[in-house]
Amino acid sequence: MSDASQTPPSDQPTGEDGFRAGFVAIVGRPNVGKSTLLNRLIGQKISIVSSKAQTTRHRVTGILTEPGAQFVFVDTPGFQTHHRNALNRSMNRTVSQVLADVDLVFFVIEAGRFTEDDRKVLAVIPESSKVILVINKVDQLKDKTRLLPFIAQVREARDFTEIVPLSAEKGRNVDELVKAATPLLPVGTPMFEEDEITDRS
C-alpha cells in the first residue's frame, strides 16, 4: 500500500531497482515488548521528530530504512480484550480495519506464554493479513527445549507467514526479523528520507 505516486526522495532507489517499502504494524497484548522491539528496530529511542507534515493516512511511529527496503511502522488503536461491550467491539473493528490496510503485521508474544488475551488479539488480525509471529523474550525462557514445542502450539492458532524468535531487549535475532520481513513488503519507492526516524508530531 505504499503510495507509488509520491516522488521518491533524492538519492533513494526506485521500485524498478527492486526496492521495497511498506507499512508495518506491531501488535500484541500489553507487556510483550512491542515498544522495546520498535526502539531496537529503529536503533534508538524514538525522540527525533520529523519536520515533514504527515503524508500518509496512518500515524507513523517509526521509520527503518535499509539499503533495499523501508519499513514504516504505524500506530494502531489499543486492543480491547476485556468487557465485550459494543464500544469495545467497535474499537476492535477499527483496529482490524487499520491492520487490513497495512502491508505486514508483526504479532508479538512472550516466549513460553500464549494466553487467552494473545488469542483475542490474534483474532482481530484479518485473515488476509501477512503476519510474522515474533516470539519475544527468548532470553528469559529458562528451559530452551520448550521453544520448539511452544512454536508448534502457537502455530496451530494461525498459518503465520514467518516465525522469528528473538530478544528485543538484548537485540538477539532482530536482524533476522528484518531479513525475514523485507521480501514480504511490496516493491515500491521510499516514502521518507533516509535520515528520518519518525513522522510523529
Side-chain angles (χ1 to χ4, degrees):
M1 266 153 325
S2 314
D3 188 354
S5 64
Q6 294 185 38
T7 302
S10 57
D11 302 322
Q12 287 282 7
T14 65
E16 295 175 356
D17 302 311
F19 191 87
R20 294 178 178 272
F23 294 108
V24 181
I26 302 176
V27 302
R29 63 171 168 79
N31 303 316
V32 293
K34 299 184 296 293
S35 297
T36 304
L37 177 60
L38 176 61
N39 290 338
R40 180 65 68 175
L41 286 163
I42 302 303
Q44 66 182 59
K45 289 190 176 180
I46 306 300
S47 58
I48 298 176
V49 177
S50 169
S51 59
K52 189 175 189 176
Q54 181 77 316
T55 56
T56 76
R57 58 191 171 278
H58 298 293
R59 180 174 179 269
V60 175
T61 58
I63 302 157
L64 170 63
T65 303
E66 296 278 282
Q70 185 174 83
F71 295 78
V72 181
F73 297 101
V74 303
D75 195 19
T76 54
F79 286 89
Q80 301 298 313
T81 57
H82 301 290
H83 311 301
R84 292 178 172 272
N85 58 31
L87 175 60
N88 287 349
R89 287 195 295 271
S90 175
M91 290 180 68
N92 284 348
R93 278 197 300 272
T94 300
V95 173
S96 186
Q97 288 165 3
V98 170
L99 295 179
D101 202 32
V102 298
D103 299 296
L104 185 59
V105 177
F106 291 170
F107 174 57
V108 186
I109 62 173
E110 290 181 272
R113 288 190 67 196
F114 189 53
T115 69
E116 185 61 28
D117 281 351
D118 290 314
R119 292 181 183 276
K120 289 176 181 176
V121 172
L122 185 59
V124 176
I125 303 174
E127 285 296 325
S128 58
S129 298
K130 287 184 287 188
V131 182
I132 293 183
L133 173 64
V134 179
I135 303 176
N136 193 21
K137 306 185 183 183
V138 293
D139 56 308
Q140 298 179 21
L141 194 64
K142 293 179 181 179
D143 183 1
K144 298 297 191 287
T145 63
R146 291 180 54 204
L147 186 57
L148 287 179
F150 176 71
I151 290 174
Q153 172 201 347
V154 181
R155 185 182 277 145
E156 292 177 359
R158 182 172 180 133
D159 184 18
F160 296 101
T161 308
E162 295 283 352
I163 299 176
V164 181
L166 54 77
S167 170
E169 185 178 8
K170 304 290 186 184
R172 296 174 187 163
N173 228 34
V174 174
D175 55 342
E176 291 300 316
L177 174 60
V178 174
K179 189 183 299 184
T182 295
L184 300 176
L185 297 178
V187 173
T189 58
M191 292 170 276
F192 297 91
E193 297 286 353
E194 188 172 353
D195 59 353
E196 289 188 277
I197 296 173
T198 179
D199 194 39
R200 187 168 61 190
S201 56

